[in-house]
Amino acid sequence: MASNRPLLIPSPPPDQPTAPEDAKLPDPIPSPILRSFPSQRRSMSSRDALPSLAELMSSSKRGFSVENSDRKNSRRSNSERLGSQKEIADEEARFIYINDVSRTNGPVKFPNNSIRTTKYSILTFLPRNLFEQFHRVAYVYFLVLAALNQVPQLGVFSPVASVLPLAFVLGVTAVKDAYEDWRRHQSDSTENSRGAAVLIDGEFKHKRWKDIQVGELIRVTANETLPCDMVLLATSDPTGVAYIQTINLDGESNLKTRYAKQETLSIPPQSMSGLIKCEKPNRNIYGFQANIEVDRKRFSLGPSNIVLRGCEIKNTRWVIGVAVYTGKDTKVMLNNSGAPSKRSRLEAHMNRETILLAIALALLCSIVSLLAGLWLHRHRDALDEMPYYRKKDYSGPDKDNYKWYGEGWGVVFSFMSSVILFQIMIPISLYISMELVRLGQAFFMVQDKGMFDERTNSRFQCRALNINEDLGQIKYVFSDKTGTLTENKMEFKCATVCGTDYSNGIDGDVIERPPVTVDGVTLRPKTNIKVDPELQSLLRDGVGRKADGARDFFLALATCNTIVPILVDTPEQEMKLIDYQGESPDEQALVYAAAAYGFMLIERTSGHIIIDVFGDKQRFDVLGLHEFDSDRKRMSVIIGCPDKTVKLFVKGADSSMFGVINKSLNLDIVRATETHLHNYSSLGLRTLVIGMRELSKIEFEEWQSTYERASTALFGRAGLLRAVATNIECNLHILGASGIEDKLQQGVPEAIESLRQAGIKVWVLTGDKQETAISIGYSCKLLSNEMTQIVINSHSKESCRKNLEDAIAMCNKFSTISPASQNDAVSLALIIDGNSLVYILETELEKELFRVATGCNVVLCCRVAPLQKAGIVALIKNRTDDMTLAIGDGANDVSMIQMADVGIGISGQEGRQAVMASDFAMGQFRFLVPLLLVHGHWNYQRMGYMILYNFYRNAVFVFVLFWYVLYTAFSLTTAVTEWSSVLFSVIYTAAPTIVVGILDKDLSRKTLLEYPALYGAGQREEKYNLKLFILTMLDTVWQSLAIFFIPYLAYRHSTIDGSSLGDLWTLAVVILVNIHLAMDIIRWNWITHASVWGCIVATAICVIIIDSIWLLPGYWAIYHIMGTGLFWLCLLSIMVVGMIPHFATKAFTEYVMPSDIQIARELEKFGNVNGATPTNIPMRTFSQP
């Protein structure tokens, strides 16, 4: 497949180009062409003259064809990468006076170079943190209740006790946020204190990074990190070239080339002065628009002239630059955004249950207030004699009203007081419990050795803690191909040269190239590849036109690139390895292939390259180049050869190259090459077509003249360079094509099969062409020979409509004739390209595409742009309730990663943009299986149970309080002490549910991986749904009746006071809910035992301590009742009676209507007694929401 990466960064040309044989590259040009001309390009023979600059400017204003964005260039549009394309308005510009800080920073001072990634300061922490926390509506609810409790007429609890729960939750969260912010502050302090060499009083002196200002000159030496965004003014290379590594910026380890302007190279730093007019700070790390004025001459600046903070200088002794953006204005800081904030499906559903509980709470309060009103009306004549309701105060000389405001206000006060009393119906502790559980779950996911990538020595990353449980409910997986399913490590496999297919190297042996000796040092390529013996013999010994064409083919591979040869030491002092560094893995593979076949690149400078051709060192002058871009899909280089000829080499995608190849010259070779390309694509290989043309002296001089004027133009440079490239890249002679393999990652076919068995649909969205994508689909078992393929390749809206209608008819046909059994159903695969999606997405045809896509087992989208990937994800996300997951490794995957419910970034070869935008990050695609099928399953089961348990636990307590109110004349007094009410959710019952939410496992890892179908429990929401919530609430009513009425009936005629009964009810609630939890725990360990039984003991101790404080109500109450046998009998009776429904339901479902999970658990418990295998275990579904 054609390489979808920018292949070249241009090298700088000289001011005065000379004859081709000793010419050097012109002044540094930014990335080349924005868009291609339409396919009707005019052919230019060797006798045709190149157009004038005026003609180029005119032609550059025409319409251009725009194709889908390719993979790498999707994250750096060519318009962004070009230099000054239009004049920057003064109000939109920043003016930097070189080496004049005071003038640069006046009258408005630019930010210094200190950075601040902290969220809070000492003054803003409290108000901002509270403001953020109160975005949760439940916190506002509890704040209002706490405020109501401060009203004397409504005071159910003491002021301190009413505020304590909310204060505790807010405090814990605040401490966590403060600690995280303190760590960021420490990191900022370390970064700001680093040192740099800054020109001060004519000398470079040490200065802290945070004190660097815009306009200062900075010197950075090899392997040092750049302190700010700088425009290069000079480098140790006489041509102004500098090599940088951007691994700290975007994760890419390959070297990139940047340049200083020729006009500033020779000026000493102490004498440097001038004016830079540049765009204001922005987030685009691949674009820069500016111009520089030196000695009253203006020159344009582009992305190739700026180096960004965080990059490192490599293979360059030193560089000098002027600071243009500092501190918070640097591009890396402007792009410093945290992980996206998403909300889990369970938490969204929890709001539904919260509303239902609020309705239940309002109903209970209404019942209490209504009955209180009726009671007050019935006893209105006797209220003066009742101490609690006395209307009149006779303590003074005059009678006055005493705690009485009339029956109407009495009803209102009863309603509000009951709201305060029953407030824990909505558990405030649930939110902090969920955060702690997610933190624990994330810890175990990070520590999972099964998701540790040994190649990169990287662990799983959990960047978003609030959607762990969503991993257990995924229905659709949208995956990129290159770098996600494949390794993105390219290996040259075969080539077609002059119409002959040389693919014997695919199954051949790796042959080491004979070493090359340079200055007494033996050089070998770091990587050896398999070679075709016939092709190697042709190159070495062949004669004639075919042999010359083959040599030109590999010469093109060795020269048409920006690869930098790096010498790597070996244990043998006289032996060194050549490591080819470049921006594109495709380029590296092609240069290694050229070296294996005898064309070894051993040296590169800005103006020439040296290639060892079968032991003969030859120098080739680089006279000019046009960089690869996403619209032309090709790049070209003009080379001055040792024989004084000038050759134009072009390589690119077949769709682009065949439009500029003169087919009349070698029609048979062109047709044979097309056939071979189709065969290579069917094998899943990436292809590039190579062409060339020899330039006459007149052609070259005219091209050089127009090229130089276009590259130095201040305005409209993009269009001019586009026109220059289009006019020179034509009438080519085809040399051949290459086939490069992007290997599948380890375990990808097995991972996809496991996901499909789990009921997860896997869709692949790729920028590759259709043949390559289909071949990879077969390789990774996404497609099979039994599948019926529906292919949609349309170039108009009406054609798309017709194809979709036919596809719908086919889907309906197969769904009708297919048997009911899903295993025997006909499998359908939809294959659609990006051109068709242009006419479908965001139109009325989306509905038809949705019907077709959801009716297919597999969807494969080819040649899709980044926004189209996001559109496909949105198609499912917005039209279904199914959970979506997107996984990718490149910047062009960011859109779909952020669109999906769960986004996963692969730490691969294409930088860290996908990781930075993701919710989770990992090293390989196959880790998706344990992440979803194991951790996702566990997280969902635990969190779903924990939420229901928290609702159940608090509802039991509230209903006990409610029954008591009904027997106290609806006075809203309570036998349970206020401190027990406060501590109920914090100490008495909090720890067990958190521990179980982190540690409990319904099934082992081995079982979950062996039977992927068990994952369906989460997709069907078996563990948390409305039906389970209602059943749980009904159980709470029964248990509360048992807790309240058993002691009430036992002690109704005794002298035991209300406080003693309150202590009994408190202990009964805590013991019962913990036994309920213990009955549901699957995996016991010492931590679980300690939390469950420890909380019961802690509750008893707390009750005893509270009743031992004489200042509190209920002093010594527990001692009055605990010493009697009836007390213990009541507790035992409550446990037995209260657990009858839960025990009976559990036994009935497990033995009569077992779910898949329960069947698998029995298999684990008793072993494979029936010789069951993963294919014959009877599975069924239960507990549909």
Side-chain angles (χ1 to χ4, degrees), residues 317 705 1007 1066 1158:
R317 293 198 309 273
S705 175
T1007 300
T1066 300
Q1158 290 159 351

Side-chain angles (χ1 to χ4, degrees), residues 561-715:
N561 55 71
T562 51
I563 291 295
V564 180
I566 306 295
L567 297 184
V568 180
D569 293 331
T570 65
E572 303 177 25
Q573 293 185 353
E574 297 181 354
M575 172 72 73
K576 291 186 181 294
L577 299 179
I578 298 182
D579 182 14
Y580 292 125
Q581 288 284 333
E583 290 193 54
S584 166
D586 298 83
E587 276 195 335
Q588 292 172 309
L590 293 176
V591 176
Y592 276 118
Y597 279 98
F599 292 75
M600 181 186 291
L601 174 65
I602 59 177
E603 182 182 335
R604 174 182 293 278
T605 68
S606 58
H608 72 271
I609 56 178
I610 294 179
I611 299 175
D612 183 281
V613 181
F614 294 110
D616 179 23
K617 287 198 303 181
Q618 299 182 17
R619 168 176 168 146
F620 297 86
D621 293 317
V622 181
L623 306 178
L625 60 88
H626 294 282
E627 188 183 350
F628 183 96
D629 73 78
S630 60
D631 297 305
R632 284 166 49 247
K633 295 188 183 297
R634 61 181 183 268
M635 59 81 57
S636 58
V637 62
I638 299 177
I639 296 296
C641 301
D643 59 0
K644 308 305 181 183
T645 61
V646 178
K647 294 182 178 180
L648 168 71
F649 291 112
V650 187
K651 68 179 180 183
D654 53 355
S655 59
S656 172
M657 289 294 294
F658 284 120
V660 295
I661 287 175
N662 189 342
K663 298 182 180 179
S664 63
L665 296 177
N666 307 99
L667 183 59
D668 293 339
I669 295 178
V670 172
R671 290 177 175 174
T673 303
E674 289 177 332
T675 302
H676 299 153
L677 285 173
H678 180 77
N679 295 336
Y680 294 168
S681 298
S682 299
L683 295 174
L685 301 181
R686 302 161 63 87
T687 58
L688 277 175
V689 176
I690 314 297
M692 68 158 288
R693 181 162 69 92
E694 189 170 327
L695 300 180
S696 67
K697 184 177 180 180
I698 295 177
E699 283 181 312
F700 171 73
E701 289 177 348
E702 291 182 347
W703 168 85
Q704 189 177 44
S705 175
T706 54
Y707 176 82
E708 189 176 40
R709 281 181 288 170
S711 63
T712 57
L714 289 175
F715 315 117

Side-chain angles (χ1 to χ4, degrees), residues 815-1009:
S815 63
T816 302
I817 65 175
S818 296
S821 174
Q822 187 176 359
N823 295 330
D824 299 327
V826 177
S827 297
L828 297 175
L830 171 65
I831 301 170
I832 187 170
D833 67 351
N835 287 331
S836 302
L837 292 176
V838 169
Y839 303 104
I840 296 176
L841 295 179
E842 298 183 1
T843 69
E844 68 277 6
L845 298 180
E846 265 195 359
K847 183 177 180 181
E848 284 72 16
L849 175 62
F850 173 77
R851 291 179 58 188
V852 175
T854 53
C856 295
N857 303 79
V858 174
V859 175
L860 190 59
C861 301
C862 316
R863 297 290 196 188
V864 289
L867 290 180
Q868 289 178 325
K869 291 184 177 184
I872 292 296
V873 176
L875 182 72
I876 297 299
K877 183 178 177 181
N878 297 335
R879 292 175 179 268
T880 69
D881 292 329
D882 296 326
M883 295 290 292
T884 59
L885 180 148
I887 179 171
D889 72 316
N892 61 338
D893 302 317
V894 168
S895 297
M896 74 169 181
I897 285 174
Q898 294 180 334
M899 175 62 68
D901 295 301
V902 178
I904 297 182
I906 296 289
S907 306
Q909 305 292 317
E910 295 200 24
R912 292 184 53 82
Q913 290 92 337
V915 172
M916 294 169 64
S918 65
D919 306 305
F920 306 95
M922 56 190 184
Q924 297 189 43
F925 180 86
R926 62 187 174 93
F927 296 156
L928 201 59
V929 174
L931 178 64
L932 298 184
L933 272 57
V934 180
H935 291 285
H937 175 86
W938 285 342
N939 293 345
Y940 169 75
Q941 298 286 322
R942 295 162 176 168
M943 189 64 73
Y945 180 82
M946 193 199 76
I947 294 174
L948 279 178
Y949 177 78
N950 273 267
F951 287 148
Y952 147 80
R953 179 192 68 191
N954 284 34
V956 171
F957 192 71
V958 167
F959 278 118
V960 170
L961 299 178
F962 174 74
W963 305 132
Y964 181 78
V965 167
L966 299 183
Y967 283 85
T968 56
F970 320 106
S971 59
L972 295 172
T973 58
T974 174
V976 179
T977 64
E978 61 182 22
W979 285 106
S980 289
S981 298
V982 170
L983 298 176
F984 176 77
S985 297
V986 178
I987 294 179
Y988 293 177
T989 57
T993 181
I994 295 174
V995 170
V996 171
I998 297 175
L999 299 180
D1000 197 30
K1001 301 176 182 178
D1002 58 348
L1003 291 170
S1004 68
R1005 180 191 187 96
K1006 179 181 178 182
T1007 300
L1008 291 171
L1009 292 176

